[in-house]
Amino acid sequence: MSTLGSFIWSIADQLRGPYRPNQYGTVILPFTILRRLDCVLEPDRAAVRELAARYENPNRLKVEVKKATGRTFYNTSNYEFANLLADADGLADNLADYIDRFSADVDVFEYFDFKKEILALEKAGLLREIVKSFGAVDLHPEMVSNADMGDAFEYIIRKFNEAANETSGDHYTPRDAIRLLVDLLFAEKDVDLTEGGIIRSLYDPTAGTGGMLSLAEEHLLAQNPDAKLNLYGQEYNPQSYAICKSDLLAKGHYATNIAFGNTLTDDAFKGRQFDFCMSNPPYGVDWKQHAKAIKEERDSAGPYGRFAPGLPATSDGQMLFLLHLVHKMRAPEDGGGRVGIVMNGSPLFTGAAESGPSNIRRWLLENDLVETIVALPTSRVGDWRGC
């Protein structure tokens, strides 16, 4: 259990009445993100404001901010949590100004429709107390590590999903399962990964809130502090995308490396390949609504397209993500790539001979792409069956 996450979620008690429990997350999540970014920006806030006064061109400003702070994003507003409450009558407008003056690549608050929530909180007479409560939460990186912040986000999301009577499996992957997957992913590459100054890339097409990406980076840096792991991801759930992107921004990664959209119908990194790929795709979810686009891509792309080996039943699209990941592996002549994926048991057994799933399995084996399959005990990790 995340103590920090529990404390932050307790702020939701102030929302009782005007908000229903299944609406708490629409307030708590964006405010948590904003407060975390507020704390990350605090040490260099004055310097960035000075640079903003000198450079009107946002592209030039971004370059200068990167030189001065090492960060890839900024905020030029005169407001912050420390002074928002000084103007009680203008609180909503000033908070909106603060959000608007993030650099253009910080689009995360749009995916929460945050300005609408600010107006709703003001109308309900709750805005001042919520801002005051979050302003009292110290989320400075020196006080709250990236790992603890990730745990807090996951706790808040689970609480939100419980209140909304949804499954947390769409947004949350158990940390132990991720660590196992990372260990397998980096296995046999340990010698390469200990080289000084190495740069590698890692991609997750179902990034969720970024837990897999973050833990993989922590694992590599623990082995080799001089290594650099460029993280890439795509996510279809708006709130998960917003959390993932803001979390990685706070850690110094580029905002453009995290994309929003449906990986199966709109590959945001088309033509790109990576050193490592990992994913916990949704399983047991049908793809009928996307079948036309996927079949058209398969037919037009030919034998080297990502879905050329076959298509699974429209009742379960997890094998589509498996094919997508294989397509993203760096070619052997460029150093090769490795893929780790979490799935339930159905891709191993469903489909008769010559069916779509059977043809995919045959193609994977004939091309020597399967290195290991690990079955996980269901009593330990719920519905998890293997990776």
Side-chain angles (χ1 to χ4, degrees):
M1 174 178 171
S2 169
T3 302
L4 174 62
S6 178
F7 176 70
I8 293 174
W9 185 256
S10 69
I11 297 174
D13 289 338
Q14 299 174 42
L15 300 173
R16 292 182 185 276
Y19 282 79
R20 298 178 61 83
N22 63 354
Q23 298 173 311
Y24 291 169
T26 62
V27 173
I28 300 302
L29 282 168
F31 264 106
T32 302
I33 291 172
L34 182 61
R35 180 54 177 155
R36 176 64 165 183
L37 296 181
D38 181 77
C39 292
V40 169
L41 292 169
E42 183 178 297
D44 307 298
R45 201 182 304 275
V48 170
R49 287 171 181 163
E50 290 179 7
L51 290 171
R54 292 169 55 190
Y55 302 102
E56 294 183 5
N57 184 299
N59 293 326
R60 177 64 186 278
L61 178 58
K62 187 172 184 176
V63 171
E64 297 299 329
V65 169
K66 182 71 164 62
K67 289 180 183 177
T69 70
R71 283 191 297 274
T72 61
F73 72 103
Y74 58 85
N75 188 295
T76 60
S77 176
N78 289 321
Y79 297 103
E80 56 194 276
F81 271 88
N83 66 7
L84 277 169
L85 296 176
D87 179 10
D89 294 335
L91 177 56
D93 290 337
N94 296 341
L95 184 54
D97 177 86
Y98 187 20
I99 294 167
D100 283 338
R101 294 187 183 276
F102 276 99
S103 47
D105 47 11
V106 185
D107 61 351
V108 296
F109 299 106
E110 299 172 16
Y111 290 87
F112 288 102
D113 207 0
F114 194 29
K115 289 183 181 179
K116 180 181 177 181
E117 291 301 334
I118 290 171
L119 294 177
L121 287 167
E122 182 184 42
K123 185 177 181 180
L126 297 171
L127 183 59
R128 181 176 177 80
E129 289 306 312
I130 294 296
V131 170
K132 181 179 179 181
S133 294
F134 274 97
V137 180
D138 188 353
L139 298 182
H140 288 77
E142 296 83 2
M143 301 299 297
V144 179
S145 69
N146 291 328
D148 288 342
M149 196 70 240
D151 287 341
F153 276 130
E154 289 175 355
Y155 178 87
I156 294 168
I157 290 170
R158 286 202 301 274
K159 294 295 290 185
F160 182 27
N161 290 335
E162 289 169 5
N165 197 29
E166 296 179 1
T167 175
S168 62
D170 291 339
H171 308 280
Y172 172 71
T173 305
R175 289 295 178 100
D176 287 345
I178 298 176
R179 291 188 180 98
L180 173 60
L181 189 60
V182 171
D183 284 339
L184 293 171
L185 195 66
F186 289 164
E188 298 183 9
K189 290 283 186 177
D190 286 346
V191 175
D192 295 338
L193 296 178
T194 57
E195 295 177 4
I198 64 162
I199 300 175
R200 296 291 185 269
S201 59
L202 172 67
Y203 167 69
D204 183 348
T206 56
T209 59
M212 281 190 165
L213 294 172
S214 294
L215 276 180
E217 182 181 39
E218 290 173 16
H219 179 97
L220 179 57
L221 292 179
Q223 290 184 325
N224 183 358
D226 295 327
K228 181 175 178 59
L229 190 63
N230 293 320
L231 304 180
Y232 297 82
Q234 186 164 352
E235 174 56 34
Y236 192 42
N237 177 277
Q239 294 181 344
S240 296
Y241 160 78
I243 292 170
C244 177
K245 188 170 186 175
S246 59
D247 187 39
L248 294 185
L249 273 172
K251 296 174 183 175
H253 292 279
Y254 289 98
T256 52
N257 287 9
I258 305 299
F260 177 74
N262 187 331
T263 300
L264 297 181
T265 58
D266 183 20
D267 179 8
F269 301 97
K270 191 173 183 179
R272 296 288 301 271
Q273 292 183 316
F274 305 93
D275 298 300
F276 301 100
C277 303
M278 60 193 304
S279 174
N280 173 22
Y283 38 83
V285 177
D286 76 57
W287 50 280
K288 289 179 183 177
Q289 59 181 322
H290 307 302
K292 181 179 179 181
I294 289 171
K295 290 177 180 178
E296 287 178 351
E297 178 185 334
R298 177 199 59 185
D299 295 339
S300 63
Y304 300 105
R306 51 182 181 160
F307 303 129
L311 296 176
T314 55
S315 59
D316 189 354
Q318 59 185 304
M319 292 186 86
L320 293 176
F321 287 98
L322 174 59
L323 291 175
H324 172 78
L325 286 171
V326 172
H327 193 69
K328 290 298 185 182
M329 291 173 62
R330 196 175 299 285
E333 58 268 25
D334 295 327
R338 290 171 68 84
V339 165
I341 185 169
V342 179
M343 297 191 294
N344 65 10
S346 66
L348 293 174
F349 311 110
T350 57
E354 301 302 323
S355 67
S358 175
N359 288 338
I360 293 171
R361 289 192 293 268
R362 182 176 64 185
W363 179 81
L364 291 169
L365 293 171
E366 288 178 348
N367 286 276
D368 195 25
L369 293 172
V370 179
E371 182 170 301
T372 185
I373 298 172
V374 178
L376 300 182
T378 58
S379 61
R380 292 288 300 276
V381 285
D383 291 333
W384 293 63
R385 301 294 173 89
C387 62

